[in-house]
Amino acid sequence: NDQMATDYGNSLGYAHAPYGYVDRAVYCDPASYTDGKYTFLQDGLFIDEVTKALEKTPNMSISATGEFSQADSMQLEIKANVNFALNETGTNYRIAYALIEDDVKGSQQNYYSEILQDELKEWGKGGIYGKKLVGGYMFQDVARGIYPSVTGAAVIPSKVTIDKDYEHTQLITIPAKVVRKRNLSVVAMVVDNVANVIANAVKIGNFKLSPDIEAGIGSTGVDGNASIYVSGEQLMFGQDVKSVLIMNVSGQIVKQAVINASSMNVSDLEKGIYVIKTVSQEGIVSIAKICISGK
């Protein structure tokens, strides 16, 4: 009952655990080291590759919303919107969705349980998790599925037009292995199938019942997930949020405020990529990576 063994992971070619990719492009295996640090098989450290990925300016934006579309709450309807900043031809962009569950208590295989190296710490030989099958562990960001496929839905033409909206709706039937639906989120991704990388992505959660279903069953529901984007000098949240925290790609907090509003002026920020964290009036956290044109 390996909680991390999914069709999505298998399709990406995961041979063992731990193992990973950054944007499907850079491979990471903790069993490879340089000067006593985890490294990729390619040049560079893991944190270096993550930083490079965050510093890239995507040539498109992606936003998404989602809600349960059935009264039995077993089907999610996700709507995504992609808008390009440049005209392009000869492309093969598609939209894919990864279903994620947090706080999953279960087991995972550990293929490094017999390796005695300080860097592996409690996961190596002799550590508290130094077992071939680790049980009773609380996992985060567990991939439950990829929809409609790893390569994504072919809804974006090979010739994309600047400022044109490309929309897609994906229905996701909740797999039986999901433990708690309230812990679900979805990562909507723009997949570049020419370069075989993730070009941009957004993570959403806090899914509610659709308004029609809520009216039928008398549910009051809660606020839906926010679509975070930039409009002029304003950072827009799609709903009133209680607080906002803005970090640069180095993880430094550059702006933080309690606003109780649906937008914030960001004209004082330098041009670059920022990570935006908002907390809704109900205490729901949303995180997005945004490109700000700067002052």
Side-chain angles (χ1 to χ4, degrees):
N1 186 27
D2 188 342
Q3 294 294 338
M4 297 305 230
T6 66
D7 292 339
Y8 184 23
N10 294 337
S11 66
L12 293 177
Y14 289 135
H16 49 73
Y19 183 110
Y21 283 100
V22 176
D23 286 343
R24 295 191 188 175
V26 185
Y27 162 76
C28 171
D29 186 337
S32 299
Y33 297 98
T34 296
D35 297 329
K37 298 179 180 179
Y38 293 138
T39 67
F40 292 99
L41 294 184
Q42 292 90 339
D43 293 336
L45 300 179
F46 175 76
I47 188 62
D48 296 334
E49 297 299 335
V50 171
T51 301
K52 289 178 186 176
L54 289 172
E55 289 176 342
K56 291 178 181 177
T57 301
N59 61 342
M60 82 291 290
S61 64
I62 179 171
S63 61
T65 59
E67 62 186 15
F68 286 107
S69 60
Q70 295 181 349
D72 61 6
S73 301
M74 292 306 295
Q75 191 174 71
L76 274 172
E77 182 179 80
I78 308 297
K79 295 181 179 180
N81 181 289
V82 178
N83 189 288
F84 286 82
L86 300 170
N87 294 320
E88 292 187 62
T89 59
T91 68
N92 186 7
Y93 293 110
R94 299 189 180 193
I95 305 175
Y97 309 83
L99 183 66
I100 307 296
E101 185 177 7
D102 287 331
D103 295 334
V104 178
K105 189 175 183 179
S107 60
Q108 182 181 4
Q109 297 180 57
N110 178 9
Y111 290 88
Y112 297 125
S113 61
E114 295 300 313
I115 298 177
L116 185 60
Q117 290 180 329
D118 291 341
E119 288 82 3
L120 291 174
K121 298 183 179 179
E122 65 266 29
W123 293 91
K125 186 175 182 178
I128 59 174
Y129 301 123
K131 306 171 184 178
K132 291 184 178 179
L133 188 64
V134 179
Y137 190 80
M138 191 70 77
F139 295 94
Q140 308 299 326
D141 297 306
V142 178
R144 293 305 199 185
I146 181 74
Y147 307 86
S149 65
V150 172
T151 55
V155 295
I156 300 174
S158 61
K159 181 179 180 179
V160 297
T161 305
I162 187 172
D163 286 337
K164 181 176 179 179
D165 291 325
Y166 298 98
E167 300 176 339
H168 181 251
T169 298
Q170 178 68 44
L171 294 179
I172 298 175
T173 300
I174 307 302
K177 65 172 66 176
V178 168
V179 180
R180 294 180 179 86
K181 293 191 292 293
R182 68 174 179 270
N183 292 336
L184 289 175
S185 58
V186 169
V187 178
M189 302 172 284
V190 179
V191 183
D192 182 347
N193 285 291
V194 173
N196 195 28
V197 298
I198 305 299
N200 204 355
V202 63
K203 185 177 183 180
I204 59 173
N206 182 31
F207 301 114
K208 65 175 183 176
L209 291 173
S210 68
D212 290 342
I213 296 173
E214 287 178 355
I217 64 176
S219 170
T220 56
V222 296
D223 283 345
N225 46 73
S227 294
I228 303 173
Y229 61 96
V230 177
S231 178
E233 296 181 343
Q234 297 293 314
L235 187 61
M236 312 297 294
F237 308 117
Q239 62 176 350
D240 283 350
V241 298
K242 185 165 53 177
S243 64
V244 180
L245 183 146
I246 303 177
M247 295 179 290
N248 61 21
V249 294
S250 299
Q252 298 172 319
I253 298 175
V254 296
K255 195 164 188 173
Q256 186 174 12
V258 176
I259 62 170
N260 293 309
S262 61
S263 64
M264 169 189 277
N265 190 291
V266 290
S267 59
D268 57 324
L269 295 182
E270 299 289 342
K271 179 180 179 179
I273 303 296
Y274 294 87
V275 176
I276 315 297
K277 177 180 178 181
T278 65
V279 179
S280 72
Q281 302 295 335
E282 292 75 27
I284 304 301
V285 177
S286 296
I287 298 175
K289 184 174 73 171
I290 296 294
C291 176
I292 293 178
S293 58
K295 59 185 180 181

